[in-house]
Structures are given as C-alpha cells and as structure tokens.
Amino acid sequence: MRRTEKKQVIEFIDTLHIAHNEIRKQLEAGNSNAVQELLANCQNGTIQLGSLIETIEGEACEVIPMLEEYCELLYQIHDDIGQLKEIKANKVYKRLNKQLVRIENSVKSAIEDRLEIVFLPYKASMWDSLESVWMAADADKNCDTYVVPIPYYDRNSDGSLGQYHYEGNELPDYVSIVHYNHYSLEKRRPDIIYIHNPYDDYNYVTTVDPRYYSRELKKYTDMLVYIPYYSTTGGMSEAQMFCPAYRSADYIIMQAQKYRKFFDPSLPEDKMQAFGSPKFDRIIRICNNPPEPPEEWKEKMKGRKVYFYNTSINGMLSDTESFLKKMKYVFDCFEGREDTCLLWRPHPLLESTLDSMRPQYKSAYGTLKRYFIENSLGIYDDTSDMTNTIALCDAYIGDSATSVTSLFGLVGKPLFILDNHIHSAPKEDDWKGKVITGMDYFGNDSWKIIQGNKLYYSPDNNYKYKYFCDLSDYASGQYYSQVVTIGEKQYVCPANARDIVVISNGRIERKIPLVQCVEQGGAFCGATIWKRYIMLIPNIYPAIVIYDTENGKINYLDQYLDVFIRNVEGERRIGGIWLQDGQLYLASPTDSQVLVINVQTREEQVISLNVSHSCGCMAIVPEGDELWLLPYEGYVITRWNPVSGEIKEYDRYPDGLECTHMILGYPCSQTPFNSPAFCGDYVYFPPQWANMYIRLDKRTGEMEEWKPPMEMPEEFDKGYFPSGVKSYFTHPAGEHSENEYHLFSMYDRKLYRLNLETESYNEVSIEFDRKELERHEPGFMENSEWLQYACEENAFNTLSDFLDGNIKGHTFDRDRQIRAYSKVAANNDGTCGEKTHRFVCGRLTG
C-alpha cells in the first residue's frame, strides 16, 4: 500500500476514534437516534475501507477479518439500541475501542508502506544525474517508481517561450517512462520527487514547462529532492550559489561536503547532504563494461586513439570569436592523421545558447559544423548518452570549466585542457607570454611568479632570472600573485591560495595560513605593504586581511567590502587601491565612494568625493601628497588631495579617443587608462583599453595625444600573450632620475627604460633560460583544487605534442590521476544512488 494511502487509512481510524467518543457522549445523553446514525456511518466507512485494503493488499490481509468483526460489533450495538436493550456507554466505548486498537496495530504492522517516487528529467543527456538513484528506487520492493520526462522550451530573445522540446523517447531503452500527460501530480501526489533543473524561470536560454517549476512541484509532494545535473572537478560557478529550486527543495545532494560553501550560506545545513554524484556511479559502471560503438562509428575508431573534444557553453560565451577559431584549429590538428580519431561532442544546449545569446555567430558555427561532418573529419556525437561515449574514448580535450572533466578524471583517462585563445602552433618566443606576466610598479622585480606556481629569482635585480622553488604542489591555478619584501624576508602573497609564503635565508621558511572560508579560486586580487604590515585585498574572500609581520597577528575586516567590490551586470568589479602614509584607500568602481582604513588602528570610514562625474575608479596612483583616480567608466580623470580635500577633474581629450573591449572586441568606455608617469608639469597616461596615449598639462588642463618614441605593437596574440591591458608605466629599480620610467608593453612583453624629458630610451632585456623552463614544465600532474589532475595547453605543450606523445614534464600517470580525483566526491565507489535513496526514504518514513 502506498504511504499516502496508508496515511489515509490511519487518518480514517483516527476519525473512528473520534466517533467512538461522540457515541459515548450521545449514549450518556440518551440520544439513541444520533448514536444509531453514528454507528451506521462508522460501518459504511469501514466497509469502504475494507474494500480498499482488500483491493490493494489482497483477501489474505490479516486486517480484513478484524474489520469484519468490527462491522459485526457495530451492527450488534445498533441492533441492541433498536431493541431498546439496556446499554452502558462506557462499556460500548471500551468494546469498540478495543477492537479498533487491534485494527490500528494490525494496519501499522501488517501493511507495509510503499512509497511512490517520481523522477522528472527534462534533458535526456542529463539523465545520468538521476539514474543510479532511480535504479536503487526501482529495485526497492517497497517503492513504486515512475520516470516522467517533462517538456522544455527554448527562450526567445524577448524571454517568451520558444520551440517546444520533449526528449522522453531518448532515454535508455531499459528505462520505462510515463508520458507527462498521463501522470497527474495533483491527483497522485507522489511521496518523493527528484529533479535536476534548479533554475525555474531564471534560465534565459531554456526553461522547463512552468508547470514543473520547483515551487509548483512542492505543492504535490512531501519530499522534493534536487540533484545537480553537473559534476565538478573542484570549482563551481557563482551562478550556482543562488537558484530558485534551493528554497523549494527539502534536500540538495552535494558532491562532497567541501562544496557546501558553493551554495547559498543561508540554506539550512540539514538540507545539504553530501552523497556524491549519480553521474560518477554511472561512469564507473559503464567504463567497467564499455558498450559496443554504433555501427557508423566503428570504422572511424578502428585502430585509432579516440579523443573526446568537448565544446562547452562557458567557453563559447566567454569569447565567442576565439572559441570558433579554436574549433577550426582543433579540426586542422586532427585532419589527415591516420592514428587519431576526433570525436566532437558539443554541449547539448550550445546551439540554443548561440541562438539566444550570440545569434550573430550562429552562421559561422554552422559553417564549421558542416565542414566537420561533410569532410568526415571525425565523429559528430549528438547522442543523448554521453557516458557511453566517454567509455569509448581514450582521452579528453577541451575546456576545464565543465563537468565532463570530472567524469574522465574519475575513471583515469587523460585530460588535455585547451586554451581557446590559442589558434596556431607557437613561434620561437611565444613562451614569454605566460612567463613574463608583468612588472612591479615600484621596480621591485627581483622575484617573479610564473606559470605553474614557480618562483624565479634575479639576485642582482637585473631581469636575469633563475629557478628558485615551487610555491605549491599544484601545477596551475595562479595560487600566488606577487612577492613583497619587509626587512630581510620575502612574503609571497596569495591570489587563489589562502596562505602567505615566507622566504628567508634562501628557502621557504613557513606558510602562514588564513581562515579557510572560500573553496573556489579568485580569493584575492592583490596585496600592498606599509612598514611591517601586509594588506591582502579580497576578490571573493570575505574580508580585507591585515598581517603584522612583527607579532604575527592577523586581522580580518569585513564591514565595508561592498564599497569597492561591486557586481555590474554579472561582472565583478574591484575599484582602485592605494596605500599612503598608513591609510589604505579603496575606491568604488561604480561611484564616488572611498573606503579609508587606518592600517595601524584598523579604523574604517567611508567618504564620498565631491566630483561631478561619478563613474567609479579602476586605479589610484600617487604623485606626492596627491592621488590620481583613473576612471572605470568614461574618461574623467580625478586629481585628489586627501589632506586638503581639493579635487580637480580633467576631461578635455583630443578628438578620436575611444575604447575597445580587450577580450570581446566591442566599443565601450571602460578602463581607458593605466598607471601614468609624471614629468614636470605633464602627466602621461598609457592606454589600458583606449586607442592612444594621452599627455596632460596640469597647468592648463589641456590634453593631447602622445606617441611613444619606440614602436609599440597594435595587435597581440590572446593565446600566447594573454592580457587585459596594453601598457603601463613603472618605476625603475635602483638609481634613476625623476623623469625616468619603465614602460612595459603587455602586447609583446617588452620592457623599455624611457626618459620622458628627452624621450630617449633603451630596451631592457628580460631573460629566462628556456631549457630550464622546460625542465620545470609540469606536464601531467595535480593541477589545482579546481582541476585535480591534467595537462594544460601552452607554448611548451601544444595539442600536436599531446597527439604525438611528446609532452614536456610529467608523463600521464593513470593511478595518480585516479587518486587525485578521489578527493572530489563522497562515495566515489559507485554507491551514491543507493545511499541517497536510503537516506531520503528514511527521512520520509522516520
């Protein structure tokens, strides 16, 4: 008997108990007609109850004869009253109650609860996120299990419902489905509902039918359970933190307890249950017994190593033009090879997302797709079952920010992570782009942190670098940002790490751990020092950190972060930062507010600058007692004296000044300038996203275009020379005149020493030993907390190198990879589904 039906039976028995009390009361009052009516109602209801139980449990159910005896007793009492026999109220009550208690105990012990559980997938390709729980429920003799695929729609550009989709027929053959038109949630009111779509009406690309939004489902069930459709290698998008279904769901199944911090912190802890991922259960099961490939695949796979090429939505949206160029480059690398087979599997919602969010690129994508298929470059996989495909592949190539990597990682198949901005084989010096990543504003360039979390040192501070040490056990992840010197020690400040590395006497002395309150990358955006203090500026870390290097005390300031950290249309922005005379200035990126912190006392105040153009600040640069505030939006430059409060604004630009977004290429007015240089009455502003250098005359406020005396590149290679800026000025180290600066060109990683007064210059050579760099190239190893084990594409390890087996650094180690990925999931032995099912049923039945 279904739990809800048994619950109704017990509720009816409770009603009979109430009726017995009323019968006693009416007998005591001498209302024989009322008593007979109550007895008749009890008998009629009991007969219906007996028919229900007999239909569901069969004639042999031990409750049936007890109900018959109870009906006989009701009839006998009814007859005695009709014959005017003497009736004692308490005696009648006890006789009825004794029989009813026997029935109640028998119902509870002899009739087992059967739970009705319904699974509501919408994308067939996402069925693996529910399957192992369904298998456990389907095998449970005390459960009635239904799979009811629900429809979904593409979103039109105006947000209305577009094309209808139903993928129920694409689920595996062994899954028995019920059409959604034939299963009424309102009538059946299942005990448990499982879903894998958390977005409800907040998905702007597709949406499930609104009848199946989580808030609607909760009306018809006692237990709504959300299981993520994705799995992770260690990181999660901020977009996953707040989803509508989290509020409606009774339970959310997490991959591991460590990922609790990725979800809304206000959710009750009991709601979050770490059981792993059914996706892992399925990949383990199928990879242990791979299926036969489809007939049309067999010839292309025969005798070849099969590479799973994943094109993700995140990769496409981040830079669509580069994404499409990358597709062409990958196709070119495989074309004509006899030893490899490229299996291309786009994300199932990729084309819908293009239609909705990047329609201008749909034609170019379609051209590439046709070229791949018509020229038989490999296998185009649009099957609904990705797990079967993974089982048939030998290796993964593609983006890192996708759940597919975790599936390959868990079963020990190599992952080669592509850089979507690399569209060609590297030239001789292209390695410099990810080794020479920037220069210190004060010229403190003795230490350099390069790709792979490697620390290099120039003992004479002459830009000739040698390997010093590894800063982390991870090969990537940009764990540290910069090295600062206080006294005789160096302090390596974190970016994605949550500790400070102390270097003393030529070695790592220790690591200073910070409070571990974030699990994903992007903890800090920078660091600055004053006297004995180090200030760490947060990105997603929930506090400004002030570390006293003398007494070791760490203070966490978390009150006013929203002054200088803002979210603008989904983009996190950090305002300008400067430390001067013990005052830390943190400017808003969107308005005129500035957070001022006294480093010694930790006193904080928020002030508003009296400016005419409130366009935010992206950088603060000092000149004597004054601070220059560079705009985040627009072109108004602000000159501020914090002591006197005097403010001047400059916006008299020459004609033709404009900005272009460095990554996406569209016209904008964001972050036009970078750190300037000062020479007499002039200030020189180098472009960040602007199209020219500007020279400002502080006396008149006039601005004019200035051209550097050296030739500066107009274009750059995003792949080998990634950059969000064009150039900037820094101070040279050691002896130099007040008019001498370094000008660093990010486009080609060249450094120039420049006298602004005479405009004479010379290039400063930045030297690394290429062979030494290659010796320390990670290759395949533990990558980061967010990508446990992989090899990344770069100038030393190209896609062709991977296909040829010529990886520099560590070669692939399957056992090492499996050990690394064992950390990312609870129950990574294939038992997530079984344990989830037992837990949810147990919570429901008590």
Side-chain angles (χ1 to χ4, degrees), residues 409-453:
L410 196 75
V411 294
K413 299 188 178 191
L415 297 109
F416 187 77
I417 304 304
L418 299 179
D419 183 334
N420 279 341
H421 292 105
I422 291 178
H423 309 137
S424 63
K427 298 185 287 294
E428 179 65 24
D429 288 336
D430 280 348
W431 57 269
K432 292 181 179 180
K434 291 187 178 178
V435 171
I436 306 170
T437 55
M439 295 293 145
D440 182 78
Y441 181 75
F442 294 106
N444 299 321
D445 291 310
S446 295
W447 301 86
K448 287 294 175 193
I449 301 166
I450 72 165
Q451 64 180 10
N453 299 307

Side-chain angles (χ1 to χ4, degrees), residues 213-344:
Y213 288 164
S214 62
R215 59 181 177 267
E216 297 298 316
L217 299 177
K218 187 55 191 163
K219 297 175 182 178
Y220 307 119
T221 186
D222 290 332
M223 190 76 76
L224 179 64
V225 183
Y226 165 64
I227 302 179
Y229 63 89
Y230 55 85
S231 56
T232 176
T233 56
M236 276 172 58
S237 164
E238 285 188 52
Q240 297 297 335
M241 182 170 283
F242 304 97
C243 291
Y246 299 168
R247 296 293 173 185
S248 304
D250 295 284
Y251 291 105
I252 296 170
I253 305 303
M254 299 185 296
Q255 188 174 304
Q257 187 59 42
K258 65 179 291 186
Y259 301 134
R260 171 63 183 92
K261 293 174 184 175
F262 291 154
F263 292 88
D264 183 351
S266 68
L267 295 172
E269 290 304 312
D270 185 59
K271 177 178 284 197
M272 315 300 296
Q273 297 295 324
F275 285 110
S277 172
K279 295 171 77 72
F280 293 159
D281 293 352
R282 191 167 197 271
I283 194 69
I284 291 169
R285 175 173 61 84
I286 292 180
C287 282
N288 285 337
N289 187 23
E292 278 289 312
E295 284 298 321
E296 61 272 23
W297 293 10
K298 288 183 178 179
E299 188 59 34
K300 293 181 178 180
M301 288 181 164
K302 187 177 180 181
R304 301 184 179 200
K305 192 170 182 178
V306 182
Y307 294 81
F308 182 110
Y309 176 35
N310 175 42
T311 47
S312 71
I313 288 178
N314 284 337
M316 183 275 290
L317 290 176
S318 63
D319 186 344
T320 310
E321 185 173 334
S322 290
F323 171 85
L324 296 174
K325 289 180 179 178
K326 185 65 180 189
M327 284 175 54
K328 178 64 166 60
Y329 175 64
V330 171
F331 296 167
D332 289 345
C333 286
F334 278 87
E335 191 168 8
R337 294 186 68 115
E338 297 296 328
D339 58 337
T340 63
C341 171
L342 178 62
L343 186 147
W344 175 31

Side-chain angles (χ1 to χ4, degrees), residues 479-658:
Y479 272 70
Y480 298 93
S481 62
Q482 65 196 85
V483 181
V484 298
T485 299
I486 299 179
E488 299 297 319
K489 296 183 178 182
Q490 284 74 42
Y491 297 85
V492 187
C493 300
N496 290 333
R498 277 85 71 198
D499 57 48
I500 300 171
V501 179
V502 183
I503 296 174
S504 179
N505 297 319
R507 64 180 181 86
I508 292 179
E509 180 184 88
R510 61 193 174 109
K511 291 188 176 184
I512 302 164
L514 307 175
V515 173
Q516 304 297 293
C517 46
V518 294
E519 289 291 344
Q520 60 197 97
F524 298 97
C525 68
T528 186
I529 62 171
W530 182 71
K531 293 185 177 180
R532 71 195 206 199
Y533 300 100
I534 298 174
M535 278 64 62
L536 303 180
I537 310 304
N539 178 26
I540 64 169
Y541 197 84
I544 300 164
V545 179
I546 300 181
Y547 172 59
D548 187 328
T549 61
E550 288 189 5
N551 61 27
K553 288 185 178 179
I554 302 176
N555 287 280
Y556 299 88
L557 309 182
D558 59 5
Q559 287 194 55
Y560 300 107
L561 301 185
D562 59 350
V563 171
F564 66 97
I565 302 175
R566 299 286 178 87
N567 190 295
V568 180
E569 297 179 351
E571 174 194 4
R572 181 182 291 271
R573 292 184 179 181
I574 311 294
I577 302 160
W578 194 257
L579 181 63
Q580 184 152 301
D581 298 329
Q583 301 290 324
L584 178 61
Y585 297 92
L586 300 157
S588 166
T590 59
D591 56 39
S592 62
Q593 290 191 94
V594 180
L595 171 62
V596 184
I597 301 173
N598 185 298
V599 175
Q600 284 185 304
T601 66
R602 270 82 65 194
E603 292 179 1
E604 301 174 80
Q605 62 172 325
V606 178
I607 62 176
S608 292
L609 302 184
N610 184 22
V611 293
S612 62
H613 295 83
S614 182
C615 51
C617 168
M618 57 79 61
I620 303 175
V621 181
E623 184 193 15
D625 293 333
E626 296 182 322
L627 299 177
W628 290 79
L629 280 59
L630 306 185
Y632 213 114
E633 285 277 358
Y635 300 97
V636 180
I637 295 172
T638 303
R639 182 182 177 188
W640 172 43
N641 188 316
V643 177
S644 67
E646 183 181 2
I647 289 176
K648 295 181 179 178
E649 295 176 285
Y650 303 93
D651 62 358
R652 295 162 64 180
Y653 292 98
D655 292 340
L657 178 69
E658 58 186 31

Side-chain angles (χ1 to χ4, degrees), residues 451-470:
Q451 64 180 10
N453 299 307
K454 313 290 184 182
L455 182 61
Y456 278 68
Y457 181 43
S458 175
D460 299 322
N461 198 16
N462 61 356
Y463 301 96
K464 294 178 173 58
Y465 294 96
K466 295 294 182 183
Y467 172 81
F468 184 80
C469 71
D470 283 14

Side-chain angles (χ1 to χ4, degrees), residues 375-394:
N375 289 277
S376 296
L377 298 185
I379 296 169
Y380 180 79
D381 178 23
D382 58 357
T383 62
S384 58
D385 195 340
M386 179 178 65
T387 311
N388 283 343
T389 299
I390 292 173
L392 296 169
C393 290
D394 299 297

